[in-house]
Amino acid sequence: MKWAEDCSQSLREDPGVGAVPGAKVGADGKPPPGLANVRQRLDDLEVHVLNFRIDKTDSSGNETFHAKVVLSDEDAAYVGSSNMHKWSFEYSLELGLYVRGKAVSRIADILAAVRAVSGRMPVG
């Protein structure tokens, strides 16, 4: 669980980076303005911010992937509700699970499916 604690601590110390995993492209197709400010740091860390937004065909609106997941080499995973930014860490009651074993490969499969239909978040 140390890796999850380190990740959480890093995000608490740098709220600009913490806001990125919850980033969404707006209705205008543009990314959140703060993404450009941290893109190089994310690239250096090999962190990829993806845009998962699929228009619904049977109604208005779109579908998004709302789960918050940290996957570590398909060996361990955190799955939870935290948006991984300062507000969630300090003011919200969030729930997350640390997962090991066979269930992690199922989580990895779900994430692979999401990545397969997602594009990289544009910078600006």
Side-chain angles (χ1 to χ4, degrees):
M1 182 89 167
K2 178 78 170 107
W3 63 270
E5 292 171 8
D6 291 346
C7 179
S8 294
Q9 182 62 36
S10 173
L11 292 172
R12 276 195 294 275
E13 291 170 0
D14 190 345
V17 172
V20 172
K24 288 193 257 185
V25 169
D28 60 1
K30 294 184 179 180
L35 181 58
N37 298 335
V38 295
R39 174 57 70 132
Q40 186 58 54
R41 182 166 178 209
L42 293 173
D43 288 345
D44 292 346
L45 294 169
E46 297 183 28
V47 172
H48 304 285
V49 180
L50 302 177
N51 175 25
F52 176 77
R53 180 181 175 142
I54 299 174
D55 292 331
K56 291 184 176 183
T57 57
D58 59 345
S59 64
S60 64
N62 59 69
E63 180 178 338
T64 62
F65 183 73
H66 195 69
K68 287 65 169 193
V69 181
V70 176
L71 180 65
S72 175
D73 299 325
E74 296 189 25
D75 177 56
Y78 162 84
V79 180
S81 63
S82 177
N83 284 318
M84 303 214 182
H85 54 61
K86 187 173 182 163
W87 184 266
S88 286
F89 289 129
E90 294 183 8
Y91 303 106
S92 296
L93 177 60
E94 304 287 355
L95 179 64
L97 301 172
Y98 177 67
V99 182
R100 295 192 67 130
K102 292 179 183 178
V104 177
S105 66
R106 305 247 349 223
I107 293 166
D109 290 344
I110 292 168
L111 291 178
V114 168
R115 283 193 302 267
V117 297
S118 299
R120 188 150 189 218
M121 181 72 73
V123 176

